[in-house]
Amino acid sequence: MLEDANPSMPKFRKHIFICMNQREAGHPRGCCDPSGQGELQRLFKTKLAQRGVKLVRANKSGCLDQCELGPTVAVYPEGIFYGGVRPEDVDEIIESHILNGRPVERLRIPDEILNTTHEKKRDC
Amino acid sequence: MLEDANPSMPKFRKHIFICMNQREAGHPRGCCDPSGQGELQRLFKTKLAQRGVKLVRANKSGCLDQCELGPTVAVYPEGIFYGGVRPEDVDEIIESHILNGRPVERLRIPDEILNTTHEKKRDC
């Protein structure tokens, strides 16, 4: 279980980056936030706050460059990437990974697939 | 020196998050990207590409919550935060930290100051 904040060590324990990149409908690489409302980020933020979790930030992020596997969420410092994340997955990621240190394997983008799904065109 | 990409291990070696949060002029917490042009992120990206650095991503980021110390840049997986980053600092961060593993101490936000500069109002 993640311990409560220690005032003498205020660095983030986990930093969750939730892609909010927008692309036009029909773009071949897809879009992590088709509604443009940032629902996933707000959901992480709200649920962390509801549970009183400190020093874990649900951060808005630009494109994490795994678009074909999105919606994408990256968790640092461990550098674990999740793909296809839906609002209904947020509780499990918080409970299993953030609070108990067990990444959600069914959503995880394997390291060997990261950065391999497209030509790097560096368009964002 | 950071080695070239190893095709069998394509995970990011470093992931640089550059705050592009916008706030209105005169906001008490300041603004990491007053021009709204994302100059700092584009500069990191361009310079990394010019040097042929692979598997280091200069990522657009929402608010990193160290606004009073911004413009803010976070480098993972090591979780080092820089504050007051100017365009003329980008070369040094790339050369010293990204390529040679020596964080730029003069720009670093000490861990004990992170998250201590304001009341957490969770406004972004």
Side-chain angles (χ1 to χ4, degrees):
Chain A
M1 181 74 182
L2 199 72
E3 290 172 11
D4 280 347
N6 174 349
S8 69
M9 197 183 78
K11 194 169 175 174
F12 294 125
R13 290 169 189 274
K14 306 272 186 198
H15 205 155
I16 308 169
F17 291 91
I18 300 110
C19 182
M20 296 174 67
N21 192 44
Q22 286 273 288
R23 286 209 190 84
E24 68 275 18
H27 190 288
R29 294 198 67 194
C31 175
C32 281
D33 183 19
S35 75
Q37 301 299 305
E39 180 189 5
L40 210 49
Q41 187 264 347
R42 280 188 292 109
L43 208 51
F44 268 104
K45 185 165 176 164
T46 302
K47 286 178 178 283
L48 288 167
Q50 283 170 347
R51 300 181 70 144
V53 179
K54 306 291 187 192
L55 297 179
V56 174
R57 181 160 178 82
N59 216 106
K60 295 176 183 174
S61 175
C63 177
L64 292 162
D65 215 13
Q66 317 300 324
C67 317
E68 292 79 356
L69 305 170
T72 313
V73 171
V75 183
Y76 280 101
E78 52 270 64
I80 285 174
F81 284 68
Y82 292 117
V85 180
R86 300 159 305 165
E88 52 266 41
D89 298 321
V90 172
D91 278 326
E92 186 178 354
I93 293 173
I94 291 176
E95 178 66 29
S96 179
H97 183 169
I98 303 304
L99 298 179
N100 289 294
R102 295 191 302 267
V104 180
E105 295 301 335
R106 71 180 178 83
L107 296 172
R108 192 168 173 179
I109 303 174
D111 287 357
E112 58 270 23
I113 291 177
L114 281 173
N115 298 322
T116 61
T117 52
H118 64 98
E119 290 287 322
K120 292 286 176 191
K121 291 191 180 139
R122 303 280 172 201
D123 63 345
C124 58
Chain B
M1 181 73 183
L2 201 73
E3 291 173 8
D4 280 348
N6 174 348
S8 68
M9 197 183 77
K11 196 170 176 174
F12 293 124
R13 291 169 189 273
K14 305 272 186 199
H15 205 156
I16 308 168
F17 291 90
I18 300 108
C19 182
M20 297 173 69
N21 192 44
Q22 286 273 288
R23 285 209 190 85
E24 67 276 19
H27 189 289
R29 296 198 66 193
C31 175
C32 281
D33 183 20
S35 74
Q37 300 300 305
E39 180 189 4
L40 210 50
Q41 187 264 347
R42 280 187 290 109
L43 207 52
F44 269 104
K45 184 165 177 164
T46 302
K47 286 177 179 283
L48 288 167
Q50 283 170 346
R51 299 180 70 143
V53 179
K54 306 291 187 193
L55 297 179
V56 174
R57 181 159 178 83
N59 217 105
K60 295 176 184 174
S61 176
C63 177
L64 292 162
D65 214 13
Q66 316 301 324
C67 317
E68 292 79 357
L69 305 170
T72 313
V73 171
V75 182
Y76 280 102
E78 52 270 66
I80 285 174
F81 283 67
Y82 292 117
V85 180
R86 301 159 304 165
E88 51 267 42
D89 298 321
V90 171
D91 279 327
E92 186 177 354
I93 292 173
I94 291 176
E95 178 65 28
S96 179
H97 182 168
I98 303 303
L99 298 180
N100 289 294
R102 294 190 302 267
V104 180
E105 295 300 335
R106 70 179 178 84
L107 295 172
R108 192 167 171 180
I109 304 174
D111 287 356
E112 58 271 24
I113 291 177
L114 280 173
N115 297 323
T116 62
T117 53
H118 64 99
E119 289 287 321
K120 291 289 177 189
K121 292 193 178 137
R122 304 279 173 202
D123 62 343
C124 56

